[in-house]
């Protein structure tokens, strides 16, 4: 069969069809990935609430940061076009977000909704209504509402105040020390943002360390933070004053992961993924792929506005199965769907445990990956908190579903590189949440002409 990739027009959804020769196609060349999603949200939000102008280069121009931008614009923050190389945000200063005239829509973005809640709840005398798409409206918000209420926040919502749409009446909060039952950067960041305007010390302790982009960026903007890595605790000493900054956003390791796995599983591949953020709270996927004996090397390590960055070279080579769990999971929480694809082509059985959080992402990613990989002929077992993936079963093309989840859509597209026959991915437009140019880049790396 001749290799081909075809993406339909939106109607309203898009279908991505991929076909490659059975033994796969070699991916070669260099690829520059879009900006880090987590850092992009934080740059827009901290820029919005700081004094003065913030300039951001390399912002992710995907749907999730657009949701953040739309929410803050609706609260009186001026931002330049999210098309340009540099985005500027005119900060209104802490406490000065305006009451929006309409419901704030966080779209598909949990980070937008959860982080923003900390700010809304601490804006006295303003009323806010917030919602999102059907996926976001089904995701748990109690994890941020409970501690915010302990701080005195007034928040109501569906399902016993645990799901959006939510109503918030801002008020003056009091500081707490919150022991989070989950390692979640969204929970931690929500409370740190709530603590910015709160007099006294707001502390969050996590069971293991989640991504620390908020801590790094808050310090860069001038907030006074104490961090204790031994106890996974961080304290914001409020009230803070934030000053606009220049932020250069590194490439997103969560997006790089698709090419790292693509290169590792397709014979003949040799790829360099440029400008990848390698913050140690995010590099679990590199540790995992290295444990599977993937041939990945780090080139040109450097630091860019407080975040470590490098180019990553991946070459094809045989992979070995491994077991993953514990503290490694929060460090690669968004990469488990694509790690499952690597495991399909490894020798032996890969077991992923302690990953129950995947059930409350943009979709239930454990169920989604188990069912859709099974549809392609893989041997995958779903457990309450993980997956067991038997390596080296032959995959056969089928119609599969992304469930509207960007990472599921892109992971299935990478599996298609080593699948015999046609793989048809439904609701493939989801990729634009974090990687709008994913299909074009795949075409280019495979040496296929780009469709108009
Ligand atoms: C994110 C934190 C993670 C991650 C999400 C982005 C962030 O979520 O899955 O994609 O930017 O803080 P949790 O905090 O729910 O683990």
């Amino acid at each position: 069969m001749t290799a081909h990739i075809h993406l339909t027009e939106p109607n309203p959804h898009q279908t991505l069809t991929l076909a490659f020769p059975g033994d796969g196609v070699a991916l070669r060349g260099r690829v520059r990935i879009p900006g880090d999603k987590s850092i992009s949200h934080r740059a827009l939000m901290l820029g919005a609430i700081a004094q003065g102008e913030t300039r951001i280069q390399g912002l992710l121009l995907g749907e999730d940061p657009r949701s953040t931008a739309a929410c803050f614009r609706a609260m009186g923050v001026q931002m330049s076009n999210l098309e340009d190389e540099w985005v500027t945000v005119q900060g209104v200063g802490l406490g000065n977000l305006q009451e929006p005239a309409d419901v704030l829509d966080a779209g598909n973005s949990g980070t937008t909704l959860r982080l923003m809640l900390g700010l809304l709840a601490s804006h006295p005398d303003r009323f806010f209504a917030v919602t999102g798409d059907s996926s976001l409206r089904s995701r748990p918000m109690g994890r941020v509402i409970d501690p915010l209420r302990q701080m005195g926040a007034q928040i109501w919502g569906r399902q016993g105040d645990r799901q959006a749409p939510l109503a918030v009446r801002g008020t003056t909060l009091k500081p707490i020390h919150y022991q989070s039952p989950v390692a979640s950067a969204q929970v931690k960041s929500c409370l740190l943002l709530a603590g910015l305007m709160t007099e006294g010390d707001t502390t969050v302790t996590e069971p293991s360390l989640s991504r620390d982009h908020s801590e790094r960026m808050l310090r860069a903007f001038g907030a006074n933070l104490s961090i204790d890595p031994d106890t996974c605790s961080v304290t914001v000493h409020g009230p803070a004053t934030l000053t606009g900054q220049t932020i250069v956003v590194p490439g997103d390791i969560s997006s790089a992961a698709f090419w790292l796995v693509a290169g590792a599983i397709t014979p003949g591949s040799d790829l360099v993924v440029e400008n990848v953020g390698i913050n140690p709270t995010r590099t679990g996927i590199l540790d995992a792929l290295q444990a599977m004996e993937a041939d990945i090397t780090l080139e040109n390590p450097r630091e860019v506005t407080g975040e470590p960055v490098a180019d990553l070279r991946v070459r094809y080579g045989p992979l070995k199965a491994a077991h993953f769990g514990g503290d490694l999971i929060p460090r690669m929480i968004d990469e488990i769907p694509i790690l499952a694809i690597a495991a399909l082509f490894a020798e032996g059985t890969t077991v992923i445990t302690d990953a129950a959080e995947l059930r409350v992402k943009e979709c239930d990613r454990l169920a989604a990956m188990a069912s859709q990989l099974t549809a392609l002929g893989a041997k995958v077992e779903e457990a309450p908190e993980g997956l067991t993936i038997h390596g080296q079963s032959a995959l056969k093309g089928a119609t599969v579903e992304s469930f509207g989840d960007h990472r599921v859509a892109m992971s299935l597209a990478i599996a298609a590189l080593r699948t015999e026959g046609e793989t048809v991915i439904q609701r493939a437009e989801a990729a634009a949440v974090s990687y709008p140019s994913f299909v074009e880049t795949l075409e280019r790396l495979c040496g296929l002409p780009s469709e108009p």
Side-chain angles (χ1 to χ4, degrees):
M1 146 155 357
T2 52
H4 57 269
I5 299 178
H6 176 69
L7 184 65
T8 62
E9 291 299 314
N11 183 26
H13 298 299
Q14 286 182 287
T15 301
L16 177 63
T17 302
L18 310 103
F20 301 97
D23 57 348
V25 57
L27 276 72
R28 304 182 79 89
R30 301 180 77 85
V31 53
R32 212 174 165 87
I33 43 162
D36 187 277
K37 180 158 78 68
S38 293
I39 296 175
S40 295
H41 284 299
R42 286 158 173 81
L44 290 171
M45 286 191 198
L46 295 194
I49 58 169
Q51 295 280 2
E53 183 174 279
T54 286
R55 302 178 70 235
I56 311 165
Q57 189 190 35
L59 190 88
L60 167 63
L61 304 176
E63 283 170 12
D64 267 16
R66 290 184 198 283
S67 297
T68 292
C71 288
F72 282 82
R73 282 184 177 133
M75 294 187 284
V77 180
Q78 287 179 21
M79 293 182 185
S80 67
N81 223 331
L82 259 60
E83 305 298 337
D84 303 333
E85 162 77 357
W86 283 92
V87 171
T88 53
V89 182
Q90 306 301 332
V92 293
L94 259 183
N96 294 326
L97 292 174
Q98 290 167 17
E99 185 172 271
D102 204 344
V103 178
L104 298 171
D105 186 355
N108 190 244
S109 174
T111 310
T112 306
L113 184 45
R114 294 197 179 111
L115 268 58
M116 194 166 67
L117 273 181
L119 292 174
L120 307 185
S122 54
H123 267 71
D125 306 322
R126 318 268 208 292
F127 175 80
F128 307 92
V130 279
T131 192
D133 70 6
S134 60
S135 153
L136 189 56
R137 279 183 273 117
S138 71
R139 295 179 66 185
M141 293 301 143
R143 56 180 55 198
V144 287
I145 293 173
D146 290 343
L148 284 173
R149 279 189 167 163
Q150 289 175 29
M151 295 177 79
Q154 298 183 26
I155 306 178
W156 303 266
R158 287 191 315 121
Q159 299 290 324
D161 304 330
R162 311 196 79 70
Q163 285 183 355
L166 302 170
V168 184
R169 183 166 296 287
T171 187
T172 303
L173 302 181
K174 56 177 191 295
I176 57 166
H177 182 165
Y178 186 62
Q179 306 267 358
S180 177
V182 280
S184 159
Q186 293 181 356
V187 171
K188 174 174 64 178
S189 306
C190 166
L191 300 179
L192 294 178
L193 292 180
L196 288 176
M197 280 176 47
T198 304
E199 183 86 41
D201 292 351
T202 300
T203 302
V204 186
T205 300
E206 310 183 83
S208 71
L209 197 60
S210 65
R211 64 193 66 191
D212 68 356
H213 305 300
S214 295
E215 293 91 308
R216 288 172 187 250
M217 206 185 287
L218 278 167
R219 275 188 166 160
F221 274 77
N224 182 5
L225 254 58
S226 304
I227 298 171
D228 182 357
D230 295 335
T231 58
C232 301
S233 296
V234 47
T235 299
V236 57
H237 307 286
T241 321
L242 306 181
T243 311
Q245 297 294 312
T246 296
I247 306 282
V248 178
V249 181
D252 198 327
I253 191 166
S254 300
S255 299
F258 298 109
W259 308 127
L260 295 178
V261 171
I265 64 171
T266 49
S269 289
D270 186 352
L271 269 181
V272 177
V273 193
E274 296 174 346
N275 193 40
V276 185
I278 51 162
N279 177 318
T281 60
R282 296 285 299 281
T283 47
I285 184 66
L286 299 183
D287 298 347
L289 290 172
Q290 266 148 11
M292 296 175 83
E293 299 183 5
D295 181 356
I296 296 175
T297 47
L298 229 90
E299 297 175 352
N300 194 14
R302 55 207 185 266
E303 188 154 314
V304 178
T305 53
E307 292 277 352
V309 171
D311 303 329
L312 302 176
R313 181 171 187 185
V314 58
R315 278 170 283 199
Y316 170 76
L319 296 177
K320 288 241 157 45
H323 287 207
F324 303 113
D327 292 355
L328 181 63
I329 301 296
R331 292 181 53 239
M332 59 170 183
I333 192 71
D334 292 337
E335 290 70 73
I336 290 171
I338 190 64
L339 182 65
I341 306 302
L344 291 178
F345 303 99
E347 186 194 327
T349 299
T350 295
V351 181
I352 299 169
T353 55
D354 306 320
E357 274 292 299
L358 265 74
R359 296 207 180 273
V360 292
K361 294 295 178 189
E362 285 82 331
C363 76
D364 177 342
R365 288 181 174 162
L366 294 179
M369 293 310 293
S371 62
Q372 302 313 291
L373 295 181
T374 302
L376 292 175
K379 291 200 192 76
V380 179
E381 286 129 35
E382 180 185 343
E385 301 206 342
L387 294 171
T388 298
I389 302 147
H390 302 276
Q392 297 183 326
S393 41
L395 301 189
K396 269 213 162 331
T399 296
V400 287
E401 174 57 62
S402 75
F403 301 99
D405 183 318
H406 53 133
R407 302 204 195 281
V408 173
M410 291 185 277
S411 299
L412 293 170
I414 300 303
L417 290 168
R418 293 272 320 256
T419 297
E420 205 179 305
E422 257 186 8
T423 306
V424 179
I425 303 171
Q426 287 176 327
R427 287 208 267 169
E429 74 281 359
V433 159
S434 62
Y435 205 151
S437 56
F438 174 78
V439 174
E440 261 167 70
T441 306
L442 181 62
E443 285 168 336
R444 179 173 68 78
L445 292 174
C446 294
L448 290 171
S450 241
E451 291 186 341

